[in-house]
Amino acid sequence: MKRSSDFTPTTTPSKIATWTLHGDVTPERKRGPPILLKASPTKQIQKRSAYSREFIKTYVFFDLECTGLIKNEDTRNLHARAFNKAEEHYNVLNNLCIETRKDELPYITEMSFMAISSEKFDELKAERQKDITWNIENPGSEKPLAKFIPTCTHTRQINPTMMSETEWNSYERFRLAGGKVAHNAIKYDLRVIYGELQRNEVLEEFGIPQDIYFIDSYWMAREIEDTIVKELATVCKYIKFPKVKIEEVDESERVVIDDSVEEIVQNDEPKETDHPANILDWEKFSASLKKRIRRDGFVRTGAGSWTYKHTNNKFSLPVLYEDLVGGKYTAHYAQQDTEALMHVCLSYGNDFTRYANNSASALPF
């Protein structure tokens, strides 16, 4: 039995349905208008505008498990592309879809989509912020954050027809061995989805609804935290921080009475320090940023002079989950990763919804 603080999925792998190839379409399903697609995903008869969205009505979180990575990525010079600007995400994704051949893209072996209305998400978001604040103020009596979330969930495990039983078993061993968990839709997931839609001629037959938009959760987290980091660095640049008296017990003030007892000897005067964290108004920080902005991120540059660096913070899904939600992250399936991503976004609270409403981009295919 797992501890309450551990991340536990709401479904087991045995309850994941298998994919049915060439299944009959139910009569109730309405097909979209045929769309002629050629080499470029932008060559649609009706192209969406990247700037016509309204506030988000429904959030759909998703994750994929695939047969491998995208081939020949080293030739595309990804590190030089401006992924960090939300207004450029549409163009970046479009160009990557055009540049990538179908035979360079892996096949999906498992996919999970979890949808939740924005109204319900906002309710859970407010509850989450209260719980995070409680946990910060009451160490040792923390409330579990990874509670069950009611969503409309669709999860499929797919066995690509080109994989033999031996290849599938090898893939399963590789996947269960664990590794880095990414959540980068532009560089990976959305391109893989585009490739699968092309292979199965779904775009030509059904098209994509006009009101579908995307954000990249990796760049969402970076944007939220980089914004405050830049502000902190600017404040540090133009302020000479005064020394503030604080009550603190130093290790040198501990006196050993015998082998098992220590007595703490307090100095007559409190210590003085000019550390910026002592004068910040932490109440103006969101609950999630209180957990991610670290005291050791402030670096002294001179007498009374400081700067802030965020280089020690990582943005992989396991790190974000353990920092913002808590508990050990041991996910191995697409639905587990999808649930974890939704919990991370809930913990970011208003910062997440503000980013989604301001930065969501239309799909270029």
Side-chain angles (χ1 to χ4, degrees), residues 197-257:
L197 294 177
Q198 273 195 317
R199 291 188 188 108
N200 295 280
E201 300 180 351
V202 175
L203 289 176
E204 291 85 347
E205 188 172 1
F206 297 101
I208 299 293
Q210 298 294 308
D211 55 353
I212 300 295
Y213 296 87
F214 78 92
I215 65 170
D216 189 310
S217 56
Y218 173 83
W219 291 109
M220 174 273 298
R222 288 292 304 267
E223 174 68 19
I224 290 172
E225 298 191 17
D226 285 352
T227 297
I228 188 64
V229 167
K230 291 176 182 177
E231 291 175 352
L232 288 174
T234 299
V235 168
C236 289
K237 180 178 180 181
Y238 294 104
I239 293 180
K240 186 172 183 179
F241 293 91
K243 289 187 176 182
V244 178
K245 293 183 178 181
I246 60 171
E247 297 288 344
E248 184 177 85
V249 177
D250 190 76
E251 288 300 319
S252 61
E253 299 169 335
R254 297 182 182 273
V255 179
V256 177
I257 305 300

Side-chain angles (χ1 to χ4, degrees), residues 101-115:
R101 302 191 314 270
K102 285 188 291 185
D103 60 354
E104 294 178 312
L105 294 166
Y107 288 81
I108 296 175
T109 55
E110 186 180 327
M111 58 184 180
S112 182
F113 297 83
M114 305 183 76

